[in-house]
Amino acid sequence: MTTVDAAVVNAAAEARTRPSVVVHDSLAQASATAAAETARLLAAAVAERGVAHLVLTGGSGGETLAAALPDALAAVGLTPAHGLEHVHLWEGDERFVPADHPDRNDLQVTGLIAAGIPEANVHRLPDPEQVESVDAAAAALAEALREGGPADGRFDVVHVGLGPDAHVCSLFPGHPVAPTSGTDVIAVHNSPKPPPERVSFTFDVLHRARRVMVVAGGAGKTEAVAKGLAAPDVVAAPASCARGEATVWHLDRAAAAGVPD
């Protein structure tokens, strides 16, 4: 049953292992390390279960991560016809805008497709030319997840960006749908950050994930880091609830100034 209850989300996050923090000299280094770790986990998933599912993120961290992934995948032996055909890509959130709009997060998968991940394994959100509303787009993504997502509902790796307001995915502080549970996909109306209509995975997805990786850099993220590594509070700081079975925050030195003592 779908509920909107901050206490439920906070309790679920509190039940997960607290995040660990790795500090790097730069955002590029943080992204490269996270990409290498991601590649190892995806290779292990393909070897153990025959398939791997990765959730990507947007923002500066997501862009540098996506750019580092092709080389990282090749370095662990995931190449065309040698494992990449078993890797599936999802977006943790997407903007309900036309397919070629620069606000689309899925534009970042171009390099991964060129590296050998089949287009059929890229699970894109329908755009306004394909469906009539953001709610219909959310429903279509939810159906795609049921049909082609992880069999046990657990993503192997979920990449998470960090907004300066401590939002993650399209789950914003104080937004009425942020504390939604009991469903994996939600439509977001009236986002405080444009564009206003989006679709997001919920914290249920993050909490089930085998590994959650938060990647952030810059002094502008210091306060968000402090809030995100504090006790879970989905209303004030959604990032504080971004926890999976294991969670690692990869930060550059500027952002890491916000890490609580």
Side-chain angles (χ1 to χ4, degrees), residues 146-204:
R146 285 190 291 270
E147 292 183 353
D152 59 1
R154 300 169 63 202
F155 282 99
D156 297 294
V157 183
V158 175
H159 288 167
V160 178
L162 178 67
D165 59 353
H167 84 265
V168 291
C169 300
S170 280
L171 305 168
F172 293 90
H175 195 284
V177 302
T180 301
S181 60
T183 188
D184 289 345
V185 182
I186 54 171
V188 179
H189 298 268
N190 300 315
S191 162
K193 180 181 179 181
E197 292 189 324
R198 300 159 174 250
V199 171
S200 181
F201 283 155
T202 66
F203 285 107
D204 285 13

Side-chain angles (χ1 to χ4, degrees), residues 116-252:
I117 294 179
E119 172 64 37
N121 291 6
V122 180
H123 302 275
R124 302 178 190 271
L125 181 76
D127 65 65
E129 294 184 357
Q130 297 172 301
V131 294
E132 69 277 10
S133 69
V134 67
D135 297 281
L141 181 60
E143 181 62 23
L145 189 58
R146 285 190 291 270
E147 292 183 353
D152 59 1
R154 300 169 63 202
F155 282 99
D156 297 294
V157 183
V158 175
H159 288 167
V160 178
L162 178 67
D165 59 353
H167 84 265
V168 291
C169 300
S170 280
L171 305 168
F172 293 90
H175 195 284
V177 302
T180 301
S181 60
T183 188
D184 289 345
V185 182
I186 54 171
V188 179
H189 298 268
N190 300 315
S191 162
K193 180 181 179 181
E197 292 189 324
R198 300 159 174 250
V199 171
S200 181
F201 283 155
T202 66
F203 285 107
D204 285 13
V205 172
L206 274 63
H207 293 161
R208 292 196 306 265
R210 291 182 168 86
R211 184 71 55 89
V212 170
M213 295 184 194
V214 180
V215 178
K221 302 295 178 69
T222 302
E223 184 176 351
V225 167
K227 292 179 179 178
L229 290 172
D233 185 343
V234 69
V235 174
S240 64
C241 293
R243 299 181 182 184
E245 182 177 320
T247 305
V248 182
W249 286 51
H250 290 281
L251 307 173
D252 73 1

